């Protein structure tokens, strides 16, 4: 075999072996990173479900703090898809870039994707919490401030970021090898989230109207998994003293109705929890749509201002 053909065959074999080794639903394609961002990729924070879970860390463009505050981004994808590279989406990377310019570090994490056999949303929450716990434990190594951590997420990640910030670590199957005191999340920003697994009214007008949609998330029907559903419902986790919340949603969203954001706003306000709620007129899921108001740039600016207010 000639050398060019040998190299072509070897390359094909390597690509095939990588694809076979990848967990189901996890992309093996590494996208092109923006050249203006300082990134450390593939930091493994735990092993679970037969795979290593890792994260990518966006370091500040300039050092403006002795110890950099941190925002942990949690991707969407219906709990059963997506990966840490969704942070490069247009509606997300602008927030990361602006935070980096203000001296804030950001991380984008992997978590176990939900299939209900046996992985449920409870495991995904544990992974998100463990990523935050890992970064807090290794704060000195990466120049981070473990006392100034916020979380940020979109869609399914919008739900997970709320539960990560609002839920108590003891209520989820977190990794006991990541030791140390519980991490207190300073603030949380959430885009177009589901805020309750038990309130059927909030699921109207979306694909969650079908009860079977919750089966893989809970590992069984709601009637049998109600206690778990409550622990996975951000609106049920609100307590006086919960961290400040920023929530943004589009009023034309047919995947997750914007009534979720309004319900979260009302429940948080009733408990005295600081919350900012932004509803973009004409915006669909992912803030899609022409001439949405406010536009994406303003949504991002409001998100950044909120996070800076509570982390600087």
């Amino acid at each position: 075999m000639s050398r060019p053909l040998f190299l072509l065959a070897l390359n094909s074999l390597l690509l095939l072996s990588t694809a076979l080794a990848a967990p189901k639903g996890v992309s093996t394609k590494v996208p092109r990173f923006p050249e203006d961002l300082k990134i450390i990729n593939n930091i493994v924070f735990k092993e679970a479900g037969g795979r290593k879970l890792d994260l990518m860390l966006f370091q500040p463009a300039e050092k403006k703090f002795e110890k950099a505050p941190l925002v942990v981004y949690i991707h969407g994808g219906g709990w059963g898809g997506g990966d840490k590279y969704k942070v490069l989406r247009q509606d997300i990377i602008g927030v990361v870039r602006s935070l980096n310019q203000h001296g804030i570090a950001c991380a984008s994490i992997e978590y176990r994707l939900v299939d209900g056999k046996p992985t449920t949303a409870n495991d995904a929450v544990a992974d998100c919490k463990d990523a935050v716990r890992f970064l807090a434990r290794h704060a000195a190594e990466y120049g981070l401030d473990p006392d100034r951590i916020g979380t940020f997420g979109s869609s399914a990640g919008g739900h997970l970021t709320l539960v990560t910030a609002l839920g108590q670590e003891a209520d989820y199957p977190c990794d006991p090898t990541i030791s140390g005191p519980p991490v207190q999340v300073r603030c949380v920003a959430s885009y177009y989230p589901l805020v309750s697994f038990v309130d059927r009214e909030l699921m109207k007008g979306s694909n969650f109207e079908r009860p079977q949609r919750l089966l893989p998330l809970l590992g069984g029907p709601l009637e049998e998994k109600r206690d778990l559903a409550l622990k996975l419902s951000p609106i049920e986790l609100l307590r006086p003293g919960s961290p400040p919340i920023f929530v943004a949603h589009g009023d034309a969203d047919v995947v997750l109705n914007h009534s979720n954001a309004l319900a979260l706003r009302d429940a948080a306000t009733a408990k005295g929890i600081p919350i900012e709620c932004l509803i973009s007129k004409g915006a669909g899921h992912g803030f899609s749509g022409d001439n949405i108001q406010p536009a994406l740039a303003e949504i991002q600016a409001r998100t950044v201002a909120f996070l800076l207010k509570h982390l600087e």
Side-chain angles (χ1 to χ4, degrees), residues 177-224:
T177 66
I178 305 176
S179 60
V183 178
Q184 300 299 318
V185 172
R186 250 324 161 86
C187 55
V188 53
S190 177
Y191 286 173
Y192 33 92
L194 181 69
V195 303
S196 177
F197 281 5
V198 295
D199 188 339
R200 302 302 303 177
E201 286 296 314
L202 295 180
M203 299 179 193
K204 288 184 176 179
S206 74
N207 58 11
F208 285 88
E209 280 191 287
R210 301 179 296 110
Q212 57 268 37
R213 179 65 179 86
L214 293 177
L215 289 176
L217 300 176
L218 298 175
L222 177 60
E223 296 74 19
E224 298 176 8

Side-chain angles (χ1 to χ4, degrees), residues 191 246 248 278 280 287 292 294-304:
Y191 286 173
F246 176 87
L278 184 155
S280 182
F287 302 127
I292 66 173
L296 178 59
E298 183 177 343
I299 296 170
Q300 292 177 324
R302 289 271 300 272
T303 307
V304 171

